[in-house]
Amino acid sequence: FFTISHRKLLLKSGLLVQQLNADPPGQIKENPERLTKVQLSRQRLMREVCAKYTSGTTKQTITRMHVSRIFVEDKHKLLYCEVPKAGCSNWKRVLMVLQGLASSTGEIQHDEVHYGNHLKRLDSFDQNGIIRRLKTYTKVLFLREPFERLVSAFRDKFESPNSYYHPVFGKPIISKYRSNATQYALRTGAGVTFKEFIQYLLDVHRPVGMDIHWEPVGHLCSPCLLDYDFIGKFETLEEEANFLLRSIGAPSNLTFPSFKDRNPNAERTSLDITRGYFAQLNVTERQRVYDFYYMDYLMFNYSKPLPRMNRLY
């Protein structure tokens, strides 16, 4: 029922009690027994949903595409699937420290994290290397409430200057969904509204393709195929990340960083901020966005936000 790496995680959690109790007061707050139960519950739900919604009994062949978002840390035998807008920049910093590429997370700049090409992806190995690591390493996934992740991505890519997203996504979005667009907007792609962005997201004939920052987690990380050993949530990110780090034997002085990576002065996207953006949509649009992320809501036990939201508007 459990993979080898997950059994190791559970076995280690017994040792964690002594280790955590030995740490200086206030340094580590995790409760290993509770967090282990949370993991078992999340895994059980993920497997139940996968069994119900994946067709056929034959296991699909794992291809390079399925593992293209997974970063490899060989020293501590960790596989991390990158979900943008769910703490991935800081996770990459942690992986760099674990790998010995930096002595602390605080010294690693944003561009070094994303464009330095320091971390290996799983699809860079041959098929045997991929399968061996999937069988023996701890497979980790951290995700976020889907509406909140979507709004966070929109704010980051379209409300701040961006030399990639404005021309590549903004120009075709404004061209297709805005009547009477100004020449400046058509030329620069700046100023995409949230409603226009949602029109693009829900359009079966999108003028420009999908992007990892708003692609559903089920597509990004193939959880039904790869059967993750640890499912963490952005809402309890630091506690769960630190629990995982202790369980894989990370250096005791390495804890998950809490700083905000991009646009540090902008308020972090919260449920209240998310509600404000979704207030710009009509009921049908809100329902369709929920349908778009339905499997993420179901598989990872996020409650449906729409009834609450509809009452608020």
Side-chain angles (χ1 to χ4, degrees):
F1 182 72
F2 299 118
T3 63
I4 294 166
S5 49
H6 189 247
R7 279 201 296 271
K8 283 194 296 193
L9 180 66
L10 295 178
L11 286 169
K12 283 180 182 175
S13 70
L15 302 172
L16 273 174
V17 184
Q18 300 167 338
Q19 189 180 326
L20 294 175
N21 289 342
D23 282 332
Q27 186 181 333
I28 302 288
K29 302 190 198 75
E30 304 100 60
N31 175 333
E33 295 95 332
R34 177 179 60 79
L35 290 171
T36 300
K37 283 179 183 173
V38 166
Q39 283 305 312
L40 289 169
S41 171
R42 286 179 189 167
Q43 280 198 314
R44 190 165 55 246
L45 175 64
M46 181 182 72
R47 290 184 179 128
E48 285 171 2
V49 172
C50 287
K52 185 176 179 182
Y53 286 88
T54 51
S55 55
T57 52
T58 53
K59 188 103 175 174
Q60 195 181 347
T61 305
I62 294 169
T63 66
R64 278 189 154 66
M65 183 194 73
H66 293 121
V67 299
S68 63
R69 305 307 318 165
I70 296 179
F71 288 95
V72 178
E73 205 289 284
D74 281 318
K75 189 178 175 186
H76 296 84
K77 299 192 171 182
L78 194 66
L79 299 178
Y80 164 71
C81 186
E82 174 191 29
V83 176
K85 311 312 298 176
C88 71
S89 299
N90 281 336
W91 259 116
K92 288 181 191 172
R93 288 184 171 91
V94 166
L95 293 177
M96 286 173 70
V97 172
L98 285 173
Q99 216 160 284
L101 297 168
S103 56
S104 76
T105 55
E107 69 189 44
I108 311 169
Q109 298 302 309
H110 175 270
D111 285 0
E112 194 70 11
V113 170
H114 290 285
Y115 310 117
N117 289 323
H118 298 293
L119 299 169
K120 282 188 175 178
R121 292 182 190 267
L122 191 52
D123 64 356
S124 68
F125 295 90
D126 63 23
Q127 192 68 8
N128 286 341
I130 291 171
I131 299 304
R132 178 175 60 80
R133 285 173 176 83
L134 284 171
K135 282 182 176 174
T136 59
Y137 284 22
T138 303
K139 301 183 292 294
V140 175
L141 170 65
F142 270 78
L143 44 97
R144 185 175 186 175
E145 201 284 329
F147 278 15
E148 209 174 282
R149 178 176 163 244
L150 180 66
V151 170
S152 177
F154 172 77
R155 293 176 73 208
D156 183 30
K157 304 308 177 193
F158 295 102
E159 290 188 348
S160 305
N162 195 297
S163 60
Y164 175 76
Y165 282 90
H166 290 190
V168 174
F169 285 86
K171 282 162 70 171
I173 287 173
I174 289 170
S175 177
K176 181 162 186 180
Y177 306 110
R178 186 181 301 179
S179 53
N180 305 319
T182 65
Q183 285 303 306
Y184 175 79
L186 291 168
R187 191 176 70 249
T188 62
V192 170
T193 67
F194 187 62
K195 196 174 180 77
E196 289 166 344
F197 174 63
I198 296 302
Q199 284 176 285
Y200 143 79
L201 185 77
L202 300 175
D203 192 344
V204 290
H205 303 293
R206 292 187 194 102
V208 59
M210 271 301 287
D211 182 83
I212 59 168
H213 290 83
W214 43 86
E215 192 165 1
V217 174
H219 296 167
L220 281 175
C221 296
S222 302
C224 291
L225 190 59
L226 303 181
D227 195 27
Y228 286 85
D229 304 302
F230 194 99
I231 304 159
K233 292 193 172 182
F234 183 81
E235 294 74 20
T236 42
L237 175 60
E238 286 179 54
E239 181 187 39
E240 293 180 3
N242 287 326
F243 171 59
L244 175 65
L245 289 172
R246 301 291 77 79
S247 72
I248 62 166
S252 57
N253 64 343
L254 175 61
T255 56
F256 195 83
S258 58
F259 52 81
K260 190 173 184 285
D261 194 53
R262 278 167 63 81
N263 307 313
N265 298 323
E267 191 181 349
R268 200 185 284 277
T269 303
S270 62
L271 182 58
D272 279 346
I273 286 175
T274 301
R275 283 189 182 119
Y277 281 83
F278 272 81
Q280 300 167 37
L281 309 179
N282 62 41
V283 174
T284 304
E285 287 167 330
R286 291 199 291 272
Q287 180 62 46
R288 288 185 64 208
V289 178
Y290 174 74
D291 293 342
F292 186 82
Y293 291 105
Y294 177 69
M295 288 304 292
D296 283 2
Y297 273 100
L298 200 62
M299 196 179 300
F300 303 113
N301 201 27
Y302 282 108
S303 57
K304 183 178 179 181
L306 290 165
R308 280 204 315 277
M309 290 188 164
N310 288 342
R311 280 200 300 274
L312 284 167
Y313 304 145

